[in-house]
mmCIF file of all heavy atoms in Angstrom:
data_model
loop_
_atom_site.group_PDB
_atom_site.id
_atom_site.type_symbol
_atom_site.label_atom_id
_atom_site.label_comp_id
_atom_site.label_asym_id
_atom_site.label_seq_id
_atom_site.Cartn_x
_atom_site.Cartn_y
_atom_site.Cartn_z
ATOM 1 N N HIS A 36 -10.489 21.792 -52.219
ATOM 2 C CA HIS A 36 -11.245 23.120 -52.571
ATOM 3 C C HIS A 36 -12.468 22.585 -53.384
ATOM 4 O O HIS A 36 -13.485 22.458 -52.861
ATOM 5 C CB HIS A 36 -10.328 24.030 -53.418
ATOM 6 C CG HIS A 36 -9.345 24.719 -52.630
ATOM 7 N ND1 HIS A 36 -8.079 24.183 -52.369
ATOM 8 C CD2 HIS A 36 -9.338 25.952 -52.060
ATOM 9 C CE1 HIS A 36 -7.418 25.046 -51.594
ATOM 10 N NE2 HIS A 36 -8.158 26.186 -51.420
ATOM 11 N N ASP A 96 -11.550 24.413 -48.292
ATOM 12 C CA ASP A 96 -11.470 25.842 -48.223
ATOM 13 C C ASP A 96 -12.369 26.494 -49.346
ATOM 14 O O ASP A 96 -12.544 25.916 -50.413
ATOM 15 C CB ASP A 96 -10.026 26.303 -48.563
ATOM 16 C CG ASP A 96 -9.113 26.158 -47.376
ATOM 17 O OD1 ASP A 96 -9.631 25.617 -46.334
ATOM 18 O OD2 ASP A 96 -7.971 26.609 -47.367
ATOM 19 N N ASP A 97 -12.890 27.612 -49.072
ATOM 20 C CA ASP A 97 -13.454 28.612 -50.028
ATOM 21 C C ASP A 97 -15.028 28.459 -50.126
ATOM 22 O O ASP A 97 -15.701 29.314 -50.751
ATOM 23 C CB ASP A 97 -12.914 28.533 -51.466
ATOM 24 C CG ASP A 97 -11.473 28.893 -51.477
ATOM 25 O OD1 ASP A 97 -10.881 29.276 -50.426
ATOM 26 O OD2 ASP A 97 -10.816 28.811 -52.592
ATOM 27 N N TYR A 99 -17.242 26.457 -51.963
ATOM 28 C CA TYR A 99 -17.812 26.431 -53.278
ATOM 29 C C TYR A 99 -19.114 25.524 -53.278
ATOM 30 O O TYR A 99 -19.159 24.501 -52.399
ATOM 31 C CB TYR A 99 -16.858 25.767 -54.341
ATOM 32 C CG TYR A 99 -15.664 26.685 -54.607
ATOM 33 C CD1 TYR A 99 -14.423 26.310 -54.239
ATOM 34 C CD2 TYR A 99 -15.854 27.857 -55.164
ATOM 35 C CE1 TYR A 99 -13.310 27.157 -54.484
ATOM 36 C CE2 TYR A 99 -14.769 28.748 -55.350
ATOM 37 C CZ TYR A 99 -13.478 28.378 -55.006
ATOM 38 O OH TYR A 99 -12.455 29.255 -55.211
ATOM 39 N N PHE A 120 -13.927 25.913 -44.530
ATOM 40 C CA PHE A 120 -13.485 27.272 -44.260
ATOM 41 C C PHE A 120 -14.138 28.251 -45.236
ATOM 42 O O PHE A 120 -13.845 28.033 -46.497
ATOM 43 C CB PHE A 120 -12.013 27.349 -44.210
ATOM 44 C CG PHE A 120 -11.331 26.674 -43.061
ATOM 45 C CD1 PHE A 120 -10.906 25.313 -43.204
ATOM 46 C CD2 PHE A 120 -11.156 27.319 -41.861
ATOM 47 C CE1 PHE A 120 -10.205 24.706 -42.157
ATOM 48 C CE2 PHE A 120 -10.556 26.680 -40.769
ATOM 49 C CZ PHE A 120 -10.129 25.321 -40.938
ATOM 50 N N ASN A 122 -15.579 32.217 -46.600
ATOM 51 C CA ASN A 122 -15.406 33.686 -46.497
ATOM 52 C C ASN A 122 -16.904 34.222 -46.333
ATOM 53 O O ASN A 122 -17.628 34.353 -47.426
ATOM 54 C CB ASN A 122 -14.803 34.193 -47.837
ATOM 55 C CG ASN A 122 -13.488 33.481 -48.149
ATOM 56 O OD1 ASN A 122 -13.411 32.624 -48.950
ATOM 57 N ND2 ASN A 122 -12.485 33.878 -47.430
ATOM 58 N N HIS A 151 -12.270 31.793 -43.011
ATOM 59 C CA HIS A 151 -11.252 31.890 -44.024
ATOM 60 C C HIS A 151 -11.083 33.390 -44.459
ATOM 61 O O HIS A 151 -10.673 33.647 -45.588
ATOM 62 C CB HIS A 151 -11.790 31.107 -45.301
ATOM 63 C CG HIS A 151 -10.664 30.683 -46.331
ATOM 64 N ND1 HIS A 151 -9.316 30.461 -45.989
ATOM 65 C CD2 HIS A 151 -10.798 30.510 -47.603
ATOM 66 C CE1 HIS A 151 -8.707 30.093 -47.071
ATOM 67 N NE2 HIS A 151 -9.468 30.134 -48.014
ATOM 68 N N HIS A 155 -11.362 36.777 -48.675
ATOM 69 C CA HIS A 155 -10.312 36.071 -49.403
ATOM 70 C C HIS A 155 -9.251 36.955 -50.017
ATOM 71 O O HIS A 155 -8.726 36.630 -51.073
ATOM 72 C CB HIS A 155 -10.886 35.100 -50.432
ATOM 73 C CG HIS A 155 -10.039 33.799 -50.629
ATOM 74 N ND1 HIS A 155 -8.845 33.868 -51.331
ATOM 75 C CD2 HIS A 155 -10.258 32.594 -50.210
ATOM 76 C CE1 HIS A 155 -8.360 32.619 -51.276
ATOM 77 N NE2 HIS A 155 -9.090 31.868 -50.607
ATOM 78 N N ALA A 194 -8.310 29.607 -41.457
ATOM 79 C CA ALA A 194 -7.480 29.057 -42.512
ATOM 80 C C ALA A 194 -7.017 30.242 -43.288
ATOM 81 O O ALA A 194 -7.892 30.952 -43.811
ATOM 82 C CB ALA A 194 -8.122 28.049 -43.420
ATOM 83 N N TYR A 195 -5.739 30.493 -43.297
ATOM 84 C CA TYR A 195 -5.253 31.752 -44.067
ATOM 85 C C TYR A 195 -5.461 31.576 -45.577
ATOM 86 O O TYR A 195 -5.113 30.543 -46.098
ATOM 87 C CB TYR A 195 -3.773 31.898 -43.780
ATOM 88 C CG TYR A 195 -3.313 31.992 -42.417
ATOM 89 C CD1 TYR A 195 -2.619 31.031 -41.728
ATOM 90 C CD2 TYR A 195 -3.726 33.124 -41.577
ATOM 91 C CE1 TYR A 195 -2.288 31.112 -40.426
ATOM 92 C CE2 TYR A 195 -3.331 33.168 -40.277
ATOM 93 C CZ TYR A 195 -2.657 32.230 -39.628
ATOM 94 O OH TYR A 195 -2.350 32.299 -38.385
ATOM 95 N N PRO A 196 -6.071 32.617 -46.187
ATOM 96 C CA PRO A 196 -6.231 32.493 -47.665
ATOM 97 C C PRO A 196 -4.882 32.297 -48.300
ATOM 98 O O PRO A 196 -3.864 32.975 -47.909
ATOM 99 C CB PRO A 196 -6.827 33.840 -48.060
ATOM 100 C CG PRO A 196 -7.510 34.341 -46.731
ATOM 101 C CD PRO A 196 -6.714 33.784 -45.686
ATOM 102 N N TYR A 197 -4.848 31.402 -49.249
ATOM 103 C CA TYR A 197 -3.470 31.028 -50.013
ATOM 104 C C TYR A 197 -2.430 30.506 -49.012
ATOM 105 O O TYR A 197 -1.232 30.340 -49.395
ATOM 106 C CB TYR A 197 -2.902 32.285 -50.702
ATOM 107 C CG TYR A 197 -3.924 32.967 -51.581
ATOM 108 C CD1 TYR A 197 -4.576 34.140 -51.140
ATOM 109 C CD2 TYR A 197 -4.254 32.545 -52.882
ATOM 110 C CE1 TYR A 197 -5.450 34.768 -51.863
ATOM 111 C CE2 TYR A 197 -5.193 33.186 -53.650
ATOM 112 C CZ TYR A 197 -5.779 34.330 -53.138
ATOM 113 O OH TYR A 197 -6.661 35.006 -53.946
ATOM 114 N N GLY A 198 -2.845 30.235 -47.708
ATOM 115 C CA GLY A 198 -1.914 29.648 -46.775
ATOM 116 C C GLY A 198 -0.887 30.752 -46.295
ATOM 117 O O GLY A 198 0.102 30.401 -45.737
ATOM 118 N N GLN A 218 -1.253 26.159 -45.571
ATOM 119 C CA GLN A 218 -1.324 25.169 -46.640
ATOM 120 C C GLN A 218 0.025 24.595 -46.901
ATOM 121 O O GLN A 218 0.331 24.111 -48.066
ATOM 122 C CB GLN A 218 -1.830 25.925 -47.888
ATOM 123 C CG GLN A 218 -3.195 26.496 -47.789
ATOM 124 C CD GLN A 218 -3.745 27.006 -49.093
ATOM 125 O OE1 GLN A 218 -3.118 26.963 -50.089
ATOM 126 N NE2 GLN A 218 -4.969 27.604 -48.992
ATOM 127 N N ARG A 234 -1.487 21.435 -43.292
ATOM 128 C CA ARG A 234 -2.521 20.488 -43.901
ATOM 129 C C ARG A 234 -2.047 19.990 -45.264
ATOM 130 O O ARG A 234 -1.285 20.735 -45.946
ATOM 131 C CB ARG A 234 -3.817 21.321 -44.229
ATOM 132 C CG ARG A 234 -4.581 21.801 -42.935
ATOM 133 C CD ARG A 234 -5.816 22.568 -43.299
ATOM 134 N NE ARG A 234 -5.582 23.847 -44.055
ATOM 135 C CZ ARG A 234 -6.624 24.428 -44.691
ATOM 136 N NH1 ARG A 234 -7.782 23.911 -44.766
ATOM 137 N NH2 ARG A 234 -6.308 25.580 -45.346
HETATM 138 ZN ZN1 ZN B 22 -8.960 29.894 -50.069
#
Side-chain angles (χ1 to χ4, degrees):
H36 286 84
D96 280 9
D97 300 357
Y99 295 114
F120 288 97
N122 308 99
H151 198 32
H155 212 283
Y195 302 112
Y197 310 97
Q218 295 187 4
R234 295 184 293 164

